[in-house]
Amino acid sequence: MFPLSTRVLAARGCHLSLRPSCNAIIRSCKASYHYSPSSGRTTQDHVRIGKFVLGSLLAIGTSYHVFQYREHRLIPARLEAGATATHVTSSEFGELSSAYLQRSGPDELSSASGTGGTTDIFGSSSSSTPTYGSPENVRKAIEELRDALPGKNRVQTSPDSLRVHGSSDHSYHPSCPHSVVVMAHTTDDVVKVVNISRKYRVPIIALGGATSIEGHFTGFPSGSICLDLSAMNMILEINEADGDLRCQPGAKWEDINNTLKDRDIPLFFPLDPGPGATIGGMIGTGCSGTNAVRYGTAKAEWFLNITVVLPSGKVIKTRRRARKSSAGFDITKLFIGAEGTLGIVTEATLRLAPRVPTKVAMAQFPDVEKAVSAVQQILNTPYGPNIQCVELLDDHMMAAINTAGVVDAPYPVQDTLFFKIQGSPESIRDTSNVVQEIVQRHGSTRFEFAATEEEAGEMWENRKYAFFSTLATHPGSKVWTTDVCVPVSRLPQLVYETKEDLAKAGLKSTIVGHVGDGNFHALILFKDEEELRSVGAAVHRLVHRAIQMDGTCTGEHGVGVGKTEYLVEELGEDTVELMKTVKNAIDPLNLFNPGKLYPENNEDKTHK
């Protein structure tokens, strides 16, 4: 037995809200109950409905007042449970044949509006439109935020700040400014903001390095709070003997590795997404980077635990600091890739890896297929584990690097692989010999090592700053960047078909990729609205092409608002419904980063 905290939300197209007429108790009942007959239902359906409603939600003999929302009117109805039957009746519409049911907190039962997704008794779920705060609620929330977080610039409402925090110059998805920006310094600050968000029903969107390009941190139309975590950038503790450290979510991966190096600690954090990315954002998007072929992604074991503020305002720590644990399922991974929709990370414990000597090499090929085939063979040799990175830059990207003027001597314009080989001097020597032999066997026209550490650093920096090199090739243009990932053996076909498609569309582009993972990025240039529409269509074709090859719509950028429409096609309807079920359980008011990650309705399942 436990206190009633549930709501009936719909009766086949009509929204309902349950109000208990007494202090009821839910009882667990295993007996079969008969459900009053109605058209369109089999006997098995009626028995199933009766079991679900009576056994799981309603106390025997208890009556409930129900408000049915139809055609913008609230119509009194009544839900009765008895020993042999349940009835949902309305004075105007008579018996209602079925109901949608959802558990909610007792404090939510006073509202006659839906506040999140609903679950059908037949097993399907739907997203009702949540009720968010009015403009007056938003104003009151801002006032309370100022009282809760006093101090200069802690609560910002200037138009410039709201715009900058709600959009990116490098993202071309729909965006919206926030109503207020709040600078958090501690976990307690985050809890205060979350509680105010919940009190006034104002959505809350966490922001770190603002490097996302899929619209992850855009504002919400009804008004939203941007929770800026960039000031929470401290490394709190380094445990060199255990090979881990604890930090706040605003810490940048580059600053972490520079700090370790400056302190002569022979360890590093191997996840290396784009410059400026923060730990909180890396967790949210399930990031990776050039090191993924050797060290994996954020969804590996690089985050030992995280501290998270939930939509309820509760603070949890997902596990202890031990390197491994089989105590329950992995709560940490529930939040990795959830894009701030389930909780807000305020601390993380990072597993570190030994810093290993490396050597950088470059191999050039007449086409992409030969380059990728060489990589597959190299990684499948006993020397494969010594390959820390292997990156593909197509001929257009190599031309862009030359044009941007970031190299002392221009590179030959061919499809190119950059290798980073790690290990002891002996391991690097043996691996280098194998790599050189295999690339030559696959038609490499040039293979050379960086002569100095400075040259090696320059080569790798050229790869990391591919975006800016692409922009520099066409002054006045903008770049839409997208990523997909496919099984490695399908990558040559995908790259070839994509380049052919972009050429037919008359679009200029560069391609870079983590070729050892089958993940590549297309950087597509445009100058005006007409070209932007053409780019958007090309991106859609690219994503569908990748999914048809048993790939994914995003290898590391995340979903945001830009790729929600592809999730059902990629994952399947039932998998997406399970994701929504988890979301509804943790955030029933849908206040954490709404409109991101989850397809909102059936029309968004596929892009035609």
Side-chain angles (χ1 to χ4, degrees), residues 130 153 181 190 291 307 318 415 462 465 479 495 599:
N153 294 328
V181 174
V190 175
N291 288 330
T307 299
T318 55
D415 295 315
N462 291 336
Y465 287 88
V479 175
V495 172

Side-chain angles (χ1 to χ4, degrees), residues 471-486:
L471 272 178
T473 60
H474 296 276
S477 294
K478 296 181 179 180
V479 175
W480 182 320
T481 304
T482 191
D483 88 310
V484 294
C485 187
V486 294

Side-chain angles (χ1 to χ4, degrees), residues 185-264:
H185 295 166
T186 65
T187 298
D188 286 344
D189 289 348
V190 175
V191 171
K192 290 176 183 177
V193 177
V194 167
N195 288 338
I196 293 170
S197 161
R198 189 175 65 257
K199 178 179 178 180
Y200 293 102
R201 303 293 189 268
V202 181
I204 183 170
I205 292 94
L207 175 71
T211 59
S212 164
I213 54 178
E214 294 294 349
H216 288 94
F217 54 88
T218 185
F220 197 73
S222 68
S224 55
I225 300 168
C226 176
L227 184 59
D228 190 329
L229 304 170
S230 61
M232 295 179 64
N233 59 1
M234 302 295 293
I235 296 175
L236 303 173
E237 180 181 22
I238 299 176
N239 301 296
E240 182 177 352
D242 295 325
D244 63 54
L245 67 77
R246 183 167 57 92
C247 69
Q248 293 180 307
K252 298 178 180 179
W253 67 271
E254 298 149 303
D255 293 341
I256 289 171
N257 285 336
N258 288 336
T259 297
L260 293 169
K261 187 175 182 180
D262 292 344
R263 296 187 185 183
D264 293 325

